[in-house]
Amino acid sequence: MISLIQRVSEAQVTVDGAVTGRIGRGLLVLLAVQPDDDSSTVTRMAERVIGYRIFPDDQDRMNKSLADEGLELLVVPQFTLAADTRKGMRPSFTRAAPPDKGRAYFGQFVEECAKRLPAVETGVFGADMKVSLINDGPVTFWLEA
């Protein structure tokens, strides 16, 4: 499982012009499920995203997590993060989970996060989405579980 996490001042995702998820200060997570992922992988990734310390403390050091600060989360499914781009001029998606598995584990990830956070918003699995954000920092990390 891959998560590209971005610390944001605000972010939103729209599908066909309608907002499906919107947050203020928090994290935007682009999430890719891979073929070997299982329920324990999902749980571990949720723990990492929620607990990853990338928000500033009183000394302006990245020492606070999403959970510490009680901030918002926007999760967007993005299978293209799992693309194999090592050769050629076209990505291969053999490292991405099949759609049914991706949809199921995306849903499980959102549920795991919603148990621990006050606000979790999402994109729509399989939809053509438009994502907008104001990256705070910019701060962006690639997490794998």
Side-chain angles (χ1 to χ4, degrees):
M1 184 167 278
I2 301 167
S3 288
L4 183 73
I5 62 173
Q6 297 179 78
R7 190 176 74 185
V8 297
S9 300
E10 62 184 59
Q12 76 173 21
V13 61
T14 59
V15 176
D16 295 328
V19 174
T20 64
R22 175 183 289 145
I23 63 168
R25 187 168 176 245
L27 287 180
L28 168 64
V29 175
L30 305 176
L31 184 74
V33 178
Q34 296 179 288
D36 293 338
D37 291 342
D38 58 24
S39 290
S40 65
T41 309
V42 175
T43 300
R44 177 65 181 135
M45 183 59 82
E47 290 168 353
R48 291 198 73 205
V49 166
I50 292 167
Y52 213 66
R53 298 182 309 168
I54 62 172
F55 292 94
D57 64 13
D58 294 340
Q59 286 78 43
D60 205 30
R61 292 188 178 146
M62 288 188 198
N63 216 14
K64 299 275 189 161
S65 70
L66 193 67
D68 292 337
E69 297 292 287
L71 300 175
E72 300 174 311
L73 178 65
L74 175 58
V75 186
V76 176
Q78 187 163 355
F79 79 97
T80 61
L81 285 176
D84 185 350
T85 59
R86 293 175 289 182
K87 61 182 179 177
M89 299 302 287
R90 184 172 184 268
S92 166
F93 297 105
T94 57
R95 294 178 10 187
D100 289 347
K101 183 175 185 174
R103 183 184 317 276
Y105 285 153
F106 174 79
Q108 183 182 341
F109 178 85
V110 171
E111 288 174 15
E112 289 287 331
C113 292
K115 291 177 191 175
R116 300 174 175 100
L117 295 171
V120 178
E121 299 280 319
T122 69
V124 177
F125 193 93
D128 180 17
M129 296 172 280
K130 308 299 181 215
V131 180
S132 61
L133 68 137
I134 298 176
N135 193 318
D136 179 12
V139 173
T140 303
F141 292 96
W142 175 283
L143 301 180
E144 291 185 83

